[in-house]
Amino acid sequence: MVFKVSKVSTAPFDGQKPGTSGLRKKVKVFVQPHYLQNFVQSTFNALTPEKVRGATLVVSGDGRYFSKDAIQIIIKMSAANGVRRVWVGQNGLLSTPAVSAVIRERVGVDGSKASGAFILTASHNPGGPNEDFGIKYNMENGGPAPEAITDKIFENTKTITEYLIAEDLPNVDISTTGVTKFSGPEGQFDVEVFDSASDYVKLMKSIFDFELIRKLLSSSKFTFCYDALHGVAGAYAHRIFVEELGAQESSLLNCVPKEDFGGGHPDPNLTYAKELVARMGLGKSTSEVEPPEFGAAADGDADRNMILGKRFFVTPSDSVAIIAANAVNAIPYFASGLKGVARSMPTSAALDVVAKHLNLKFFEVPTGWKFFGNLMDAGFCSICGEESFGTGSDHIREKDGIWAVLAWLSILAYKNKENLNGDKLVTVEEIVRQHWTTYGRHYYTRYDYENVDAGAAKDLMAYLVKLQSSLDEINSIVKGARSDVSNVVSADEFEYKDPVDGSVSKHQGIRFLFEDGSRLVFRLSGTGSEGATIRLYIEQYEKDSSKTGRDSQEALAPLVEVALKLSKMQEFTGRSAPTVIT
């Protein structure tokens, strides 16, 4: 039988504006008739015809609630829009980094290559009938669609009148691998369901020395725990850590992907990864059981990571700096040297110090992974990271949670390769403290003031911009608050000119840089209907190695006091304390 293409009349929905990570809304919004279809058609219409007609597209995601229905809809719409074939990860599961790898590396059974992907994820947001769903489009380089495309998609959503769909195309069984062939008015259309993990595992084995990591994991002194928080990382954890690297089955926590992430919040931080945090000895109660040497967690779509040692938390800002400092020795992929390193502006300057020491190209970019992607495509950057638990490299064009875990295991394996039979292994904590001794320590914290009145938040930011015109005035406020804090030497609003495409991003955050290398950064995030979030990043640099072991909040206290005085935080927002401290 030949499937028919139907044109369905529709009308625009408000607010289908994709952010840097696509379109995210409640499931209840996405299940409205035509809602998903409008967005998918607007995406097809925003792409050049050769990226659609006769093309190969990947359609998969983190397995959250509504994904299975969405995949069938997108398959039917792809067929109607002249797409030649759709690749789907088994059970509709592909991590965001794996999608990037599949676009870049995979060759289909008929020799085809993918030119783009619809990724179904809302990342670290909860899933379920009353929670969040999301969709984003990635390009042929494996990275998220650039602003030129997402702006076009948004414009299309405002004027759409019809979409194309092959309604009579039967649903494809995505639970078993294999190719299903259909014929349509323009010829053949195939859906290939393939193993979710194979391509990604192959890529990881080409980057890391699995044999060396396996030796570490088989040592009786090394214990390990990985928590997928019931996200899509579970589809990779068993294959990589148990089958390939020989870890114990019992070292995997919450590694069965669930549509609602087990009712939890799949965000790998000290607040939400409660079970892992307790197992690693960082919980409120002290347990009698000795914690593992190494622990890690992933978010819903497995692009974020959290790294823990025994009773020890590694900040994401430190993590990317430590990976960069050790990559050439510990990771075969980087053996010939790093092209450069980059971080998002709010991330601490720990990476800057490593770059300076190692004489590497260094870039500070706005928040958003696409800025790193541009640098990587141009051959300027090998390793990059951001404070919000995202770390990655130029092996793909997304941040990669499992890659970061394998990078840390590689560093541990490298540091311990001579003493696996000795009395004691070099620990995560020792590696971090050694790093601080060599490079100094960036004490770092983030204060989030959530749901602040949007007007008050804008006023506070405007006041800070105005204040920046006078360093004398700034420094008299600083000294009035704390005489032991060093002087502000520069104050500006961060703006970025992309060295690759020349595009300029303005108003990316307000910065105060101090003489001793410390920083204060203020950013406004998401002026949604619920008001705005003010994020305040506070960073104290300490070079004196006798002072790098202090309690973080204690070391930061003087600078916190200065930040609150400088911004008149309580006066503007009426808040005497932040909603969240990270």
Side-chain angles (χ1 to χ4, degrees), residues 5-168:
V5 173
S6 319
K7 280 185 179 175
V8 179
S9 295
T10 187
F13 287 92
D14 276 348
Q16 287 196 325
K17 184 175 172 60
T20 46
S21 314
L23 181 69
R24 290 182 191 168
K25 303 280 180 191
K26 292 283 177 220
V27 167
K28 287 188 161 54
V29 174
F30 266 104
V31 297
Q32 299 174 87
H34 311 307
Y35 190 89
L36 173 67
Q37 289 87 336
N38 277 18
F39 187 78
V40 171
Q41 188 65 53
S42 297
T43 303
F44 282 138
N45 296 349
L47 298 167
T48 52
E50 69 274 9
K51 298 256 169 68
V52 182
R53 308 200 80 77
T56 300
L57 295 182
V58 185
V59 181
S60 284
D62 61 13
R64 65 180 54 237
Y65 184 85
F66 186 56
S67 296
K68 291 201 161 98
D69 296 342
I71 288 169
Q72 300 295 345
I73 290 169
I74 298 170
I75 288 174
K76 293 179 168 76
M77 289 186 68
S78 298
N81 277 278
V83 169
R84 173 67 183 79
R85 58 184 78 69
V86 170
W87 291 350
V88 182
Q90 193 171 9
N91 296 311
L93 296 178
L94 278 178
S95 71
T96 294
V99 172
S100 190
V102 163
I103 293 173
R104 295 172 67 83
E105 308 284 337
R106 185 170 196 270
V107 179
V109 280
D110 54 5
S112 51
K113 291 277 290 167
S115 62
F118 284 100
I119 309 181
L120 308 176
T121 176
S123 192
H124 50 284
N125 298 4
N130 301 308
E131 297 298 347
D132 296 356
F133 187 75
I135 177 169
K136 70 171 189 164
Y137 189 81
N138 275 33
M139 307 298 284
E140 64 272 25
N141 73 340
E147 243 157 71
I149 300 280
T150 54
D151 288 349
K152 212 184 252 180
I153 295 171
F154 182 44
E155 289 311 311
N156 291 344
T157 65
K158 296 186 211 168
T159 55
I160 189 167
T161 56
E162 61 176 24
Y163 61 83
L164 303 178
I165 189 164
E167 281 170 339
D168 61 347

Side-chain angles (χ1 to χ4, degrees), residues 1-5 53-54 78-80 82-85 169 181-190:
M1 88 162 217
V2 176
F3 64 77
K4 287 198 296 293
V5 173
R53 308 200 80 77
S78 298
V83 169
R84 173 67 183 79
R85 58 184 78 69
L169 195 79
K181 296 181 186 299
F182 301 98
S183 43
E186 296 186 32
Q188 204 175 316
F189 170 72
D190 298 344

Side-chain angles (χ1 to χ4, degrees), residues 25 451-455 525-533:
K25 303 280 180 191
N451 297 337
V452 171
D453 175 79
S525 177
T527 41
S529 50
E530 279 83 42
T533 295

Side-chain angles (χ1 to χ4, degrees), residues 401-419:
I402 289 177
W403 173 90
V405 174
L406 290 170
W408 267 92
L409 286 172
S410 298
I411 293 166
L412 282 160
Y414 175 76
K415 300 266 186 198
N416 285 298
K417 69 175 178 201
E418 304 308 330
N419 63 340

